[in-house]
Amino acid sequence: MVEQLSHPDGIRLLLTPNHSLSWRGNVRIWLALLTVSAVIATGMALAGAWVIIPFAGLELLALAAGFYLTSRACQRREVLTIDDQDIHLAKGRTRKQAEWTLPRRYARLRLNLPEHPFAPPKLELIHRDTRVALGDFLNIDDTDALVQVLETRGLVVERKAPDPEIGLWF
C-alpha cells in the first residue's frame, strides 16, 4: 500500500505490505483450526490410532509458525521522503532499522520490468554505486501508483526490460 503523509518541505510516502487480516484475526483462524484438528485427533485416538496426536500437534505448530512469520513480515514499513534537496528512505518494522539519504538531483529510480506479466516490477533507488531496493513487497497496482507519484515529483525513472536470453525457459 502507498499512503501519502503530510510533510512541510515536500512529499512523504508510507509504503506497507498488503495484509488482509490483523494478528487477532490470524489467531482466531488458528484457534478454529485447532478446534477442528483436536476433534479429529481425539476421535482417531479413541478409535485406537493414538499416533495421530503428535502429528496433529506438529501440524498446528507449523501452522502457528507460518502465521507468526507472515504477520511479522507484514509489519514492514518504508518511509520515503522527498524534499527539494534529498531523497530520504527509512526501513524497519517497529522502529527504524536502516536509512539512506540520496541527493535528489543525481538520484534516479530504476524500474526493472518483470519477465512474467503477473509479477510486479522491482524498484531501486540509484545514486552512483548505491542501490537501494524500494517497496519490494508492493503489488503491481501499488508499484504503478508509486512510480506515477515519483515521476510527477520530477524523479528520473529508468525502465529496464528483462534480458531476453534469461527467461523462464532456457
Side-chain angles (χ1 to χ4, degrees), residues 5 7 53 61 89 123:
L5 305 173
H7 186 58
I53 292 175
L61 186 65
L89 177 64
L123 300 174

Side-chain angles (χ1 to χ4, degrees), residues 8-108:
D9 297 330
I11 185 171
R12 180 171 286 167
L13 301 171
L14 175 64
L15 310 176
T16 58
N18 291 334
H19 49 89
S20 57
L21 273 180
S22 65
W23 175 249
R24 185 170 295 201
N26 285 331
V27 169
R28 286 181 184 163
I29 288 178
W30 186 80
L31 288 174
L33 292 172
L34 170 74
T35 303
V36 170
S37 183
V39 167
I40 293 171
T42 302
M44 296 295 276
L46 292 176
W50 58 268
V51 75
I52 198 163
I53 292 175
F55 290 105
L58 286 174
E59 176 187 28
L60 289 168
L61 186 65
L63 193 60
F67 277 145
Y68 173 75
L69 292 174
T70 301
S71 291
R72 183 176 174 174
C74 286
Q75 291 177 348
R76 292 186 296 172
R77 305 275 186 266
E78 293 182 9
V79 178
L80 180 66
T81 306
I82 302 173
D83 59 23
D84 294 335
Q85 300 297 320
D86 294 320
I87 298 172
H88 184 76
L89 177 64
K91 294 185 178 188
R93 280 197 329 269
T94 55
R95 60 181 173 81
K96 185 176 7 177
Q97 294 171 326
E99 65 181 316
W100 297 265
T101 301
L102 306 174
R104 179 177 176 171
R105 185 173 182 182
Y106 301 110
R108 65 188 187 279

Side-chain angles (χ1 to χ4, degrees), residues 104 107 149-157:
R104 179 177 176 171
V149 168
L150 295 178
E151 277 183 323
T152 59
R153 287 306 210 176
L155 196 63
V156 176
V157 178

